[in-house]
Amino acid sequence: ESFKFEGGISQFVNDLNKAKQVFYALPSPVETAMLIKRTGTDFDARIANPVENAPNYSTNFKKALNFGVYGADLSYVSLFGQTQASIQYMGVSKKIADELGILGFINQGIMERLEKNVTNRDSAMQIITEGFMTSNEHLKEAGRPETAVLIISGGWIEGLYIATALTKNTPNNNELIDRII
């Protein structure tokens, strides 16, 4: 028996293209962190997912999702100049990437540049963005799009969580609320 798409293959392709448009419109963790910083909010260390939680993620599903979460947290702490926290989030992200077998997809040069620039907020944010995009493309090319989707989803969910948690303490929160909506 063959699988039939309701509405035919052209409808399926049309629906898939619509889903891609929504997915690609999601802000990256770096974009969300930059918006948070621009709104004038103060840093709150309690919001980020503690690095101590990493051993709790035992399945590849949970690891991929939380690789994205920790990527968003790394963006958040880096943007606010939290050097020690940046080092911790970088370390846990590297460990999870290795456990997922995707560390090789993240250019070693990117990791080295990030480690050297951890105290330079602007450079760190640019390097995080580059690493995020590069690993996403490599995963797709390697036939692991589901891992890429989980990572992006985890980052988006964490960015949304951070933004939502900060709205009550943000003096100019209209732009932040608009982005959440």
Side-chain angles (χ1 to χ4, degrees), residues 137-157:
E137 288 305 313
H138 284 300
L139 281 165
K140 288 178 186 174
E141 290 170 9
R144 295 180 63 189
E146 68 285 347
T147 302
V149 167
L150 286 169
I151 292 169
I152 290 170
S153 297
W156 177 73
I157 291 166

Side-chain angles (χ1 to χ4, degrees), residues 43-50 76 161 169:
F43 178 75
D44 185 348
R46 298 169 298 168
I47 294 173
N49 186 17
Y76 174 62
Y161 168 75
N169 297 326

Side-chain angles (χ1 to χ4, degrees), residues 41 49 58 81 119:
T41 189
N49 186 17
S58 55
T119 59

Side-chain angles (χ1 to χ4, degrees), residues 27-37 43 48 67-83 85-90 93 114 118 120-133 155-156 158-159 162 166:
S28 74
V30 173
E31 290 171 324
T32 302
M34 291 172 77
L35 172 63
I36 289 167
K37 180 71 172 172
F43 178 75
F67 182 70
V69 168
Y70 284 129
D73 291 335
L74 176 58
S75 297
Y76 174 62
V77 300
S78 294
L79 194 64
F80 280 89
Q82 303 295 310
T83 305
S86 295
I87 292 167
Q88 292 173 336
Y89 283 100
M90 197 174 0
S93 295
L114 187 55
V118 73
N120 182 333
R121 185 180 72 208
D122 293 336
S123 293
M125 295 306 290
Q126 182 178 354
I127 295 165
I128 291 167
T129 300
E130 183 182 334
F132 186 75
M133 300 308 288
W156 177 73
E158 183 72 350
I162 291 169
L166 292 174

Side-chain angles (χ1 to χ4, degrees), residues 94-120:
K94 193 173 181 179
K95 184 177 184 321
I96 292 173
D98 188 37
E99 291 172 357
L100 283 169
I102 62 172
L103 190 57
F105 294 147
I106 302 169
N107 182 313
Q108 189 58 33
I110 290 174
M111 290 304 290
E112 290 170 4
R113 283 178 33 228
L114 187 55
E115 288 169 0
K116 288 178 185 172
N117 288 286
V118 73
T119 59
N120 182 333

